[in-house]
Amino acid sequence: MSDELTVIAIDGPAGSGKSTVARRLAERLGIEYLDTGAMYRSVTFAVLANGVDPEDEEKVAAVARRVRIDLDDGGLVIVDGVDATTQIRGPEVSRSVSVVAANQEVRSELVSRQREWTRRRGGGVLEGRDIGTVVFPDADLKVYLTADPQVRAARRAREVTDLDYDVVAADLARRDSYDSERKHDPLRQAGDALILDTTGLTIDEVVDDLAKRLVDG
Ligand code: DC
């Protein structure tokens, strides 16, 4: 990475612990954190709010180009001036987000916003599916987090309290395969990423390990 930018890329499937690890690591390093999944979810929210069919590639791309997404440090997500913090995690958005994220024009719009966000801040911890492979292939540290599917589903079910385990597990399995098999920038491990299986680890153990690697170089 260039001398001015410090970038940490954290990728992996849903429920692998990415968001919590990325947020805590950013706090520890005193740099900012970007949840890129929230950006794909925000575009999906705007698509649905505008009555656009998520499968209509051209209209969805047009929404992505013009939508205003504000992600604040406290976790609030404002989409075109509307507080969408809760709805972007809800079942409607979760059902359609993989289709929207498979749209190449949506991806190129959001990737350029992610690079711009990072440049303005001199770096950051970015989490998603394609950070180490596409957005910042030269990141200072690239991590691919994973965990057993049952453990990932149980973590998600705890976060989304109004859905039961079976519904969450089915949605996760569907998104895993869709996100890994899509044509444009699918979820995959960067060849030079550090692969960490978080199944038996606590968040603190993972964050400590990553912070140590950064210090040790
Ligand atoms: O991390 P999440 O579950 O909030 O992500 C929501 C969806 O967005 C997920 O199904 C895949 C997609 N996504 C992506 O394609 N690329 C990213 N960098 C981040 C998320």
Side-chain angles (χ1 to χ4, degrees):
M1 208 70 225
S2 77
D3 287 344
E4 305 93 67
L5 285 189
T6 301
V7 175
I8 292 142
I10 303 193
D11 291 303
S16 57
K18 291 188 309 287
S19 302
T20 320
V21 167
R23 197 176 310 114
R24 295 242 196 113
L25 184 62
E27 265 167 33
R28 180 134 6 143
L29 300 173
I31 59 181
E32 285 190 65
Y33 151 73
L34 183 62
D35 172 1
T36 63
M39 298 174 76
Y40 288 93
R41 288 175 179 274
S42 294
V43 172
T44 307
F45 172 83
V47 162
L48 299 176
N50 284 287
V52 169
D53 175 357
E55 307 266 1
D56 185 331
E57 292 194 2
E58 276 181 32
K59 285 195 182 149
V60 168
V63 170
R65 281 191 293 269
R66 68 165 187 260
V67 69
R68 194 184 150 116
I69 304 170
D70 296 300
L71 305 173
D72 86 350
D73 294 344
L76 275 188
V77 179
I78 311 293
V79 180
D80 286 333
V82 174
D83 182 350
T85 313
T86 309
Q87 272 156 297
I88 65 157
R89 312 274 168 207
E92 285 87 8
V93 168
S94 295
R95 245 194 314 273
S96 299
V97 66
S98 285
V99 175
V100 170
N103 182 314
Q104 184 169 29
E105 289 194 51
V106 171
R107 302 203 69 80
S108 63
E109 172 65 26
L110 294 189
V111 167
S112 78
R113 292 191 193 193
Q114 289 154 17
R115 290 184 180 142
E116 179 61 20
W117 179 96
T118 309
R119 256 179 236 118
R120 280 172 190 264
R121 288 161 179 79
V125 179
L126 284 81
E127 61 114 329
R129 304 291 193 286
D130 61 341
I131 310 301
T133 51
V134 175
V135 186
F136 284 108
D138 297 330
D140 298 271
L141 178 65
K142 293 194 213 178
V143 186
Y144 187 92
L145 293 185
T146 172
D148 289 349
Q150 300 91 318
V151 170
R152 296 196 283 112
R155 287 176 182 162
R156 261 297 145 98
R158 272 200 301 274
E159 276 167 29
V160 198
T161 45
D162 52 342
L163 289 176
D164 72 22
Y165 173 84
D166 291 337
V167 174
V168 174
D171 176 59
L172 216 100
R174 185 185 57 77
R175 282 204 291 134
D176 277 357
S177 69
Y178 205 107
D179 295 341
S180 312
E181 284 156 27
R182 70 178 176 227
K183 190 160 141 223
H184 308 296
D185 311 338
L187 170 66
R188 62 185 172 80
Q189 298 167 359
D192 52 352
L194 165 74
I195 297 163
L196 265 187
D197 186 332
T198 67
T199 304
L201 298 176
T202 65
I203 297 291
D204 284 335
E205 284 169 334
V206 179
V207 174
D208 286 347
D209 180 355
L210 298 181
K212 189 166 177 303
R213 284 172 197 270
L214 279 164
V215 173
D216 294 346

